[in-house]
Amino acid sequence: MTPADRPRRSCLTVPGSSARFLAKASSLPADELIFDLEDAVAPSAKQDARALVARALAEGDWAADRVLAVRVNAVPTRWAYRDVIDVVERSGERLDAIVLPKVTGPAHIVWLDLLLTQIEQDRGLPQGKIAIEAQIEDAAGLAAVDDIATASDRLAVLIFGPADFMASLGMGSLTIGARPEGYAGGDAFHYPLMRLLVAARAAGLQAIDGPYAAIGDLDGLRVASVSAAALGYDGKWVVHPDQIGPVNAAFSPSQEQYERAELILEAYEHATTVQGRGAVLLGAEMIDEASRKMALVAAARGRAAGLTRTQRYTPSEGGLAPGG
Ligand code: GLV
Ligand code: MG
């Protein structure tokens, strides 16, 4: 499985300055853990947090399938280079990815790629082992998102950062991820979410939605998560353990969707290989090659979420589509 294929339905950010939170993280069912050295850590605590995070990664009891990442400080800050060097040198064996915040252009990605290459060479780590996840969270980053998405083979994920993005644009809300009150159009986040998603998919990357900070508002979280999942996103950041369950559920297909996806794959395989047809009826619906592609995505997500089949395709369910 490539870094861009690993499930990232829920990505829990854990403040790197809290030994207690770091210790608790291994027992939580988030697909990815992101140990944060950036905005959740005060400037005076940055240095100690680096050491805490490196130790937690190197010594913690981490399940092999868990994606482990560290968010370093942004490239223009004085902390960035040492964050990368200290963390990767000390815990590169287990680390899967560096999350790079506030990426405004491809130069940020190239800088990190070169630095990681040097550390991997020096430490005898496989070349390209550490993936990059880029946060797109201001006007400059979104304007350059296509160039950012193709700046390095290490890139696995683009992440939307609503808080910094809202600040960058001057959006009228003070709650991270919440819709700006008074906006008379549709969804104020539709454009950046779609723009990022298109850039990610064109480059073969995952697209992850950012955090929803109103921890007590699980209904609002569900609406935001289901909406991002419906658009095509792979997952969402979470900032509290209570958010993990609803977000995992939102980014997993339902049993019904999963069964349908598997049926489409089987029916289409039968149609093309046994019947020699490219468009057939499955129940009352026409399916063709495009249906197969959509079904592949839902079936892969369902399998990754641990769903299993209860139905099998029987050729009598299929038929010849009009004009097929
Ligand atoms: C996350 O980093 C955000 O800015 O929303
Ligand atoms: Mg941010």
Side-chain angles (χ1 to χ4, degrees):
M1 203 183 278
T2 71
D5 291 334
R6 299 183 64 179
R8 287 183 177 84
R9 294 167 306 169
S10 54
C11 309
L12 177 69
T13 56
V14 184
S17 50
S18 167
R20 190 166 66 86
F21 288 162
L22 289 170
K24 192 177 171 204
S26 70
S27 64
L28 299 171
D31 288 343
E32 173 166 341
L33 297 173
I34 299 167
F35 301 135
D36 191 17
L37 298 176
E38 200 221 14
D39 282 357
V41 177
S44 59
K46 299 259 186 216
Q47 203 163 327
D48 290 348
R50 255 181 225 141
L52 274 180
V53 163
R55 188 162 347 113
L57 273 165
E59 295 170 11
D61 182 18
W62 306 110
D65 61 350
R66 179 88 74 135
V67 183
L68 294 182
V70 172
R71 178 164 75 165
V72 298
N73 285 280
V75 177
T77 69
R78 67 193 171 89
W79 301 294
Y81 79 103
R82 193 145 286 293
D83 286 347
V84 178
I85 293 169
D86 279 8
V87 168
V88 181
E89 279 192 351
R90 292 195 218 170
S91 59
E93 298 283 347
R94 182 56 187 89
L95 185 68
D96 296 303
I98 294 284
V99 175
L100 194 61
K102 300 181 178 59
V103 177
T104 55
H108 287 190
I109 303 292
V110 172
W111 169 83
L112 180 56
D113 185 341
L114 291 171
L115 188 52
L116 287 171
T117 300
Q118 292 165 8
I119 304 170
E120 285 168 350
Q121 278 173 4
D122 186 56
R123 295 284 137 166
L125 296 169
Q127 180 81 41
K129 174 184 184 298
I130 314 284
I132 298 176
E133 305 187 9
Q135 275 190 287
I136 305 299
E137 39 186 358
D138 62 12
L142 195 63
V145 69
D146 294 320
D147 291 339
I148 292 169
T150 52
S152 162
D153 287 346
R154 289 180 192 271
L155 263 171
V157 180
L158 296 183
I159 303 155
F160 179 55
D164 280 295
F165 188 78
M166 292 159 92
S168 159
L169 260 61
M171 266 189 183
S173 169
L174 290 174
T175 302
I176 299 171
R179 313 279 172 220
E181 267 179 45
Y183 178 59
D187 175 0
F189 291 116
H190 179 74
Y191 172 71
L193 285 175
M194 188 57 120
R195 182 75 194 81
L196 185 151
L197 179 63
V198 169
R201 294 295 188 243
L205 310 180
Q206 285 187 354
I208 303 291
D209 191 15
Y212 187 84
I215 291 162
D217 179 14
L218 289 182
D219 285 340
L221 172 75
R222 268 187 212 101
V223 170
S225 306
V226 167
S227 174
L231 200 59
Y233 271 66
D234 299 285
K236 184 169 177 64
W237 275 23
V238 291
V239 293
H240 189 276
D242 289 351
Q243 294 186 323
I244 298 172
V247 167
N248 279 349
F251 288 93
S252 306
S254 65
Q255 180 69 29
E256 198 184 337
Q257 285 170 319
Y258 169 67
E259 299 267 12
R260 175 85 188 157
E262 295 282 16
L263 276 184
I264 289 174
L265 292 180
E266 229 178 329
Y268 192 68
E269 170 77 12
H270 181 81
T272 49
T273 57
V274 179
Q275 299 172 298
R277 289 180 181 140
V280 285
L281 282 175
L282 178 62
E285 205 176 301
M286 188 208 76
I287 60 166
D288 67 6
E289 172 59 18
S291 320
R292 187 188 70 86
K293 287 190 185 125
M294 291 191 288
L296 271 179
V297 176
R301 286 180 177 164
R303 287 176 216 148
L307 299 182
T308 51
R309 301 185 66 179
T310 59
Q311 297 166 20
R312 290 279 151 192
Y313 170 70
T314 49
S316 60
E317 291 175 69
L320 184 62

